[in-house]
Amino acid sequence: MSQQPEIIEYSRQKGWVLRAQESNANGIVLIFDCPFCGEKFGKSKGGALKRPLYINADTGVFHTWCCNKNGNMVTMRRELGDLPSPVYNQSIKDI
């Protein structure tokens, strides 16, 4: 089942603009500016096309090419501060 509606809704909540959409062997990929480092979609000075944040619309897996972050939508939301980080008990005595 596609996660595209969830991804589009989350991107709207964050104020992100969908910069491009591509199809490849892994499905539909949604491309945004990077919310982690601020890298923008577009041409570099050398003429190469920069695609900072890829999100697979079917799986919700993301990868940033500029700052090398990756994971799923839960990971992204956690790293952007929209979900609390899990709390792990660090005391071996309590196990």
Side-chain angles (χ1 to χ4, degrees):
M1 181 174 173
S2 175
Q3 292 192 23
Q4 188 168 355
E6 176 189 349
I7 296 164
I8 296 297
E9 179 59 30
Y10 182 67
S11 67
R12 282 188 189 132
Q13 290 172 4
K14 299 299 281 183
W16 301 345
V17 175
L18 179 63
R19 300 295 183 180
Q21 182 172 316
E22 297 177 354
S23 294
N24 63 28
N26 296 319
I28 296 173
V29 178
L30 308 174
I31 303 171
F32 299 91
D33 295 338
C34 183
F36 299 102
C37 73
E39 179 79 21
K40 302 287 184 200
F41 174 82
K43 297 267 183 177
S44 68
K45 289 182 182 179
L49 185 60
K50 297 187 292 183
R51 299 175 181 97
L53 171 64
Y54 273 56
I55 305 175
N56 183 298
D58 295 325
T59 64
V61 172
F62 77 92
H63 184 84
T64 63
W65 296 101
C66 43
C67 55
N68 205 31
K69 292 186 179 281
N70 58 65
N72 60 26
M73 292 305 293
V74 172
T75 304
M76 178 185 288
R77 286 180 166 160
R78 187 170 290 131
E79 290 194 19
L80 292 173
D82 296 323
L83 288 178
S85 294
V87 178
Y88 298 104
N89 189 340
Q90 297 186 3
S91 174
I92 194 78
K93 295 176 192 174
D94 297 332
I95 296 179

